[in-house]
Amino acid sequence: MGNKKKKQMEFRYYEIPYGEPVLALLGEHWNQPYGFDRDHQLVTDLHFHNLMEIGCCYEGTGELVLEAEKYAFCGGMVSVIPRKFPHTTLSPGGEVSRWEFLFLDIEKIAEELYGQDRRMYEWILSRCGRGAFCRNKAEAPELYRLVVMILQEMSRKRERYQEMVRGLLGALLVEIARNTGENPTGMERSLGERTGAQHLFSAFEYVSLHYTQEIRARDLAAACHMSESHLRRLFAQAMAMSPMDYVNYVRIEKACQRMKTTEESIAATAAQSGFVSVSAFNRNFRRILGVTPREWKKSPENYQGRLAQYRIAYHDGWE
């Protein structure tokens, strides 16, 4: 009997353009059948993001897969998916659906809006990180209205649209928090609470806290209370990358943020992002983003589209 191919989980990186409150994926490009590869074969592998994803379906039908659960989607529906939550959108019959998407850095938004009110800040992050859910506009009219208003502002870009969107985001986060509190679909589990990849969440959090320091695979294994060999197996099976691939991905993400907001040298960025040398920084940067840090820093606006569509999917033997 042949071996059944194991599903793999992708980590997709989306970057918010400099100066914008959110990343908005708008327009006709997102009118398509979902879940098909370039050979027009249906692909059901799950993926997750570094940012919260909010999708608005205007037309069409299909399946929204939220980890182990499947939900029918249709026009007039909003999906809210926290970062690191496994999911995918499928159009099994090949029907074209019309979607638009927002990607949010809720930690940054909550800090800007509620940094002086730590109880509110913690409430927002706790509620908005509970789990994924979907609602139609009849069930959650306020949520649907807020999402559509933000999408319209990001599309039209009228005078002071950034300030308008930032104001709407405060209301949107509260409305998302209200919906996760009600949680009628019972989806309060995050990636870190699920079987298979459950222990990897501790590794993600460890890297988020210590990426500027030396990190070894055994450090991540210890954080997850498992053997190093088991950790490597979980990363390979669930994410199609090694633990150190993930560490370097996070460091590159942080380096991009620094290069957009500081005038420091490449060497300083490399050091502040956790790389032991400029050569290691350059090598990993080119491998992940396809350009050198100097090229990216010289003209970062040229790479916003590339970053928005780049899929992090390492495979054994790339090193």
Side-chain angles (χ1 to χ4, degrees):
M1 182 181 293
N3 292 329
K4 186 177 180 180
K5 183 180 178 181
K6 292 183 178 179
K7 289 188 177 183
Q8 295 182 332
M9 192 184 303
E10 286 186 332
F11 189 2
R12 299 184 184 177
Y13 171 49
Y14 284 72
E15 180 170 330
I16 297 173
Y18 181 66
E20 296 283 22
V22 297
L23 168 66
L25 305 185
L26 308 167
E28 293 184 1
H29 178 76
W30 307 102
N31 301 349
Q32 57 179 289
Y34 281 81
F36 292 87
D37 62 18
R38 293 179 179 177
D39 297 322
H40 306 291
Q41 299 297 310
L42 188 65
V43 178
T44 59
D45 291 356
L46 304 182
H47 64 273
F48 63 100
H49 303 288
N50 58 312
L51 300 170
M52 171 178 276
E53 174 193 301
I54 298 178
C56 183
C57 179
Y58 300 108
E59 297 175 6
T61 58
E63 293 180 347
L64 183 64
V65 183
L66 303 178
E67 221 277 339
E69 305 293 335
K70 293 182 180 180
Y71 299 88
F73 73 75
C74 59
M77 195 196 78
V78 167
S79 61
V80 177
I81 304 173
R83 66 189 186 99
K84 301 177 183 175
F85 194 101
H87 67 283
T88 195
T89 305
L90 302 173
S91 305
E95 180 183 353
V96 172
S97 299
R98 185 162 74 93
W99 287 79
E100 289 186 325
F101 300 92
L102 297 170
F103 286 86
L104 282 60
D105 184 341
I106 63 170
E107 288 85 356
K108 181 179 179 181
I109 296 169
E111 180 65 37
E112 291 175 351
L113 294 175
Y114 308 113
Q116 302 302 314
D117 184 348
R118 301 313 291 182
R119 292 183 64 182
M120 184 65 175
Y121 173 84
E122 295 294 341
W123 182 77
I124 288 289
L125 293 189
S126 174
R127 284 289 187 89
C128 291
R130 278 186 174 183
F133 65 89
C134 50
R135 300 283 192 276
N136 62 50
K137 59 184 177 182
E139 295 173 315
E142 297 86 358
L143 178 66
Y144 184 84
R145 188 180 305 116
L146 285 166
V147 171
V148 170
M149 287 176 67
I150 293 173
L151 287 166
Q152 289 176 345
E153 287 290 336
M154 294 300 297
S155 176
R156 296 169 183 170
K157 294 192 174 182
R158 297 182 298 175
E159 183 180 13
R160 298 290 184 178
Y161 74 91
Q162 293 101 328
E163 286 73 17
M164 183 68 173
V165 170
R166 289 187 178 96
L168 291 170
L169 286 173
L172 178 61
L173 290 188
V174 171
E175 192 59 34
I176 291 172
R178 287 173 171 173
N179 275 269
T180 57
E182 297 167 1
N183 196 43
T185 56
M187 292 183 290
E188 285 200 8
R189 295 175 298 167
S190 67
L191 175 61
E193 297 171 314
R194 295 173 180 267
T195 59
Q198 60 179 348
H199 295 299
L200 293 185
F201 185 76
S202 296
F204 299 153
E205 295 304 307
Y206 185 92
V207 175
S208 295
L209 293 172
H210 302 286
Y211 70 91
T212 60
Q213 306 165 19
E214 180 183 6
I215 298 178
R216 296 158 296 188
R218 64 174 176 265
D219 299 323
L220 301 182
C224 296
H225 306 289
M226 67 176 67
S227 69
E228 186 175 337
S229 61
H230 186 49
L231 177 85
R232 292 183 183 277
R233 281 195 299 272
L234 277 182
F235 263 91
Q237 292 172 3
M239 298 177 62
M241 69 171 74
S242 74
M244 297 315 298
D245 284 334
Y246 175 76
V247 172
N248 286 325
Y249 157 73
V250 171
R251 287 170 172 165
I252 293 300
E253 179 186 359
K254 299 298 183 181
C256 288
Q257 294 172 1
R258 294 188 68 85
M259 288 192 292
K260 288 194 303 180
T261 57
T262 73
E263 296 298 326
E264 66 188 11
S265 66
I266 296 295
T269 297
Q272 292 297 321
S273 303
F275 289 97
V276 296
S277 67
V278 174
S279 62
F281 177 46
N282 287 336
R283 183 174 64 254
N284 282 282
F285 200 101
R286 180 181 281 279
R287 181 178 66 167
I288 291 174
L289 294 183
V291 295
T292 68
R294 196 168 300 280
E295 289 171 331
W296 192 93
K297 187 175 183 179
K298 183 178 180 181
S299 188
E301 67 274 10
N302 293 336
Y303 299 103
Q304 293 295 344
R306 181 193 306 239
L307 289 170
Q309 298 180 28
Y310 193 86
R311 294 185 181 184
I312 303 300
Y314 291 102
H315 301 278
D316 292 342
W318 276 30
E319 289 190 303

